[in-house]
Amino acid sequence: MNPTPTPNSDYAAETNYPSNSGYSSTTGGQGYLEANQGYTTGAQPPQSYRARAEEDPGKVLGIISLVATLSTFLGFNFLGPIVGIITGHMARKNSRSAGFGDNEMGKWGFILGIVFISVAVLGGLLGLSIAGFAGLAGLLGA
């Protein structure tokens, strides 16, 4: 009992490997590599060798917009939301002009920037009105 197939058997006739597979059909169909040929599987090359997929040009601006807007919680009450509104608008515009969908982070940075500026302005007006009423009450001697 010989476990290896003979060149005349059906197994040897069916082992016709493609030319780029790295196997040689001239060695009796045994699957041996030729001398100066590297092992290839026919698979795609690694990710680093392939052309990089096109990314959304507004992606970084969207992240900057959201982070700048959320910096309100760190004490940047007017500067952060203003930067967030501007960069959010730029991110959304860049994404749409490149044919991508709406930039979600840019959109949220823009919306939250407007909300935080509005709350700050309303809070300032409320503080001024309370101070005005307190000053008027102090003048009248109440």
Side-chain angles (χ1 to χ4, degrees), residues 9 18-19 54:
S9 70
S19 62
E54 186 177 338

Side-chain angles (χ1 to χ4, degrees), residues 59-73 80-81 83-85 87-88 91 103-113 116:
K59 181 179 177 182
V60 174
L61 282 173
I63 294 169
I64 291 171
S65 170
L66 190 60
V67 169
T69 301
L70 293 177
S71 70
T72 300
F73 297 115
V83 170
I85 290 169
T87 56
N103 191 321
E104 292 293 320
M105 283 193 265
K107 179 173 73 173
W108 281 107
F110 183 78
I111 292 171
L112 289 176
F116 290 159

Side-chain angles (χ1 to χ4, degrees), residues 34-87:
E34 290 182 4
N36 294 325
Q37 191 173 11
Y39 177 76
T40 59
T41 60
Q44 296 284 336
Q47 183 74 19
S48 61
Y49 294 124
R50 275 191 245 155
R52 192 170 170 183
E54 186 177 338
E55 288 188 13
D56 186 357
K59 181 179 177 182
V60 174
L61 282 173
I63 294 169
I64 291 171
S65 170
L66 190 60
V67 169
T69 301
L70 293 177
S71 70
T72 300
F73 297 115
L74 297 176
F76 299 105
N77 294 332
F78 285 104
L79 182 63
I82 290 172
V83 170
I85 290 169
I86 294 170
T87 56

Side-chain angles (χ1 to χ4, degrees), residues 115-139:
V115 168
F116 290 159
I117 290 274
S118 303
V119 167
V121 167
L122 287 175
L125 290 175
L126 181 65
L128 284 176
S129 65
I130 290 174
F133 283 124
L136 185 61
L139 266 171

